[in-house]
């Protein structure tokens, strides 16, 4: 997608030999567009846990590339298999909710261990990582194509007005390799000449909406309005939201979906106001080993300081200030689960499907 008119992906191998990875450090957006080089698997693991890269699809892609770096490192170890396995475990532990991370690491580990020599393993790792990343990119593009008819139908009902979409968190291209998941149908609609306006939830406490979604929509020239997290219900009651589209970090076999904390409340408000609530996700975000998302999906808990303090941009650069009193205890659950019954449809690379076991099974047939 575009950054000041120039096309970027969120992640790439920096050099021809694939010794290092280049990422956009998302902690600095929208105030600074900073590229960072990661040269070891440990650096990639840190970048994932500290959210320099974030979003389900992107952390899967980062881990896949990171496992290539781990394969090179393993060649210098006494026990390369153990090194690869231990590194894979560290990747998976970096963030627990998005299943794309474990999915990507498992695929890479399986591919690497087939090789007999360090050179062969490196070639296998490169091939598997590139295939995975390219497939994710294509999946996101197709999510856009498959979601487009939903926006087109709403636009055709009232052609003089823009389609008002509400989204939560950042499930944009910054959360993927390109296109995004929730944003892909929005970008496709914009490209097709459909007028779209996006309500962007700020998404406390990390503010992915305020920092990232608003920025990337602006870069693509898509009209949008930032709103405080609790605004969506009011907008829906007043007919100001035509549909919600959100991303997903893990979907179960019966269609329960985990996404950024606060998604569930938007789904409840959407149900009460007859607003369609769509979840956009590639097949890599399904965890078919799970059924009951509320009981079974692991929910990441992050540091209390993300809630009690806030970081913003000043003339002196980034500054962190206290929001709550210094002794206020805080809890920071990163994700919540929206039960399948609140989901109008799942927009995937294979088409739009109902959030139920039978239809989901057919997607994987
Ligand atoms: O904590 P984050 O920023 O990684 O959470 C991101 C989300 O919740 C996205 O909506 C989700 O990953 C889907 S986007 C591919």
């Amino acid at each position: 997608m575009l950054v000041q008119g120039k096309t970027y992906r969120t992640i790439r191998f920096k050099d021809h030999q694939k010794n290092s990875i280049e990422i956009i450090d998302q902690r600095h957006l929208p105030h600074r567009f900073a590229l960072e080089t990661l040269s070891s698997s440990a650096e990639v693991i840190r970048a994932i846990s500290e959210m320099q890269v974030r979003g389900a699809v992107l952390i899967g892609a980062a881990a896949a590339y990171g496992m290539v770096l781990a394969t090179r490192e393993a060649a210098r170890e006494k026990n390369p298999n153990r090194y690869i396995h231990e590194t894979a475990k560290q990747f998976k532990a970096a963030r627990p909710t998005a299943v794309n991370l474990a999915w990507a690491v498992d695929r890479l580990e399986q591919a690497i261990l087939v090789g007999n020599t360090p050179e062969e393993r490196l070639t296998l790792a490169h091939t598997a990582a590139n295939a995975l990343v390219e497939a994710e990119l294509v999946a996101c593009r197709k999510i856009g194509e498959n979601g487009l008819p939903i926006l087109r139908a709403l636009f055709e009902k009232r052609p003089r007005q823009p389609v008002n979409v509400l989204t939560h968190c950042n499930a944009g291209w910054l959360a993927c390799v390109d296109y995004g998941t929730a944003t892909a149908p929005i970008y496709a609609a914009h490209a097709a000449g459909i007028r779209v306006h996006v309500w962007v939830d700020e998404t406390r406490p990390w503010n992915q909406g305020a920092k990232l979604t608003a920025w990337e929509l602006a870069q693509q020239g898509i009209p949008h309005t930032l709103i405080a997290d609790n605004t969506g219900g009011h907008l829906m009651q007043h007919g100001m939201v035509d549909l919600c589209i959100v991303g997903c970090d893990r979907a179960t076999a019966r269609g329960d979906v985990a996404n950024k904390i606060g998604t569930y409340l938007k789904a409840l408000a959407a149900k009460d106001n007859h607003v369609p609530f769509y979840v956009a996700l590639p097949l890599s975000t399904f965890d078919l080993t799970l059924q009951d998302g509320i009981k079974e999906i692991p929910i990441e808990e992050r540091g209390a300081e993300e809630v009690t303090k806030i970081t913003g941009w000043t003339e002196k650069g980034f500054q962190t200030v206290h929001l709550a009193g210094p002794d206020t205890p805080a809890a920071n659950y990163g994700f919540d689960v929206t039960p399948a019954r609140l989901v109008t449809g799942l927009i995937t690379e294979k088409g739009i499907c109902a959030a139920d076991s039978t239809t989901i099974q057919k997607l994987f047939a």
Side-chain angles (χ1 to χ4, degrees), residues 51 53-59 95 98 168-172 175-176 180-182 206 208 212 246-249 258-261 280 282 285 300 302 334-335:
M51 292 176 66
V53 286
R54 31 65 52 204
V57 173
L58 177 55
I59 62 179
R95 294 200 71 194
H168 190 69
C169 194
N170 173 261
C176 301
T181 53
W206 211 83
Q208 286 91 336
L212 306 176
V246 298
C248 180
D249 287 82
N259 190 48
K260 182 51 57 193
I261 193 82
T285 303
E300 177 179 15
R302 297 183 61 84
F335 300 87

Side-chain angles (χ1 to χ4, degrees), residues 7 18 66 77 123 150 167-168 186 200 234 247 253 256 341 356:
T7 305
K18 299 186 168 60
E77 294 288 320
T123 308
I150 303 172
T167 193
H168 190 69
I186 296 169
V200 179
H234 168 78
D256 295 343
R341 68 187 154 78
D356 69 51

Side-chain angles (χ1 to χ4, degrees), residues 98-114:
V99 74
N100 303 61
L101 180 58
W103 169 82
V105 170
D106 286 343
R107 279 173 74 129
L108 261 289
E109 193 178 354
Q110 270 172 26
I112 293 160
L113 294 180
V114 170

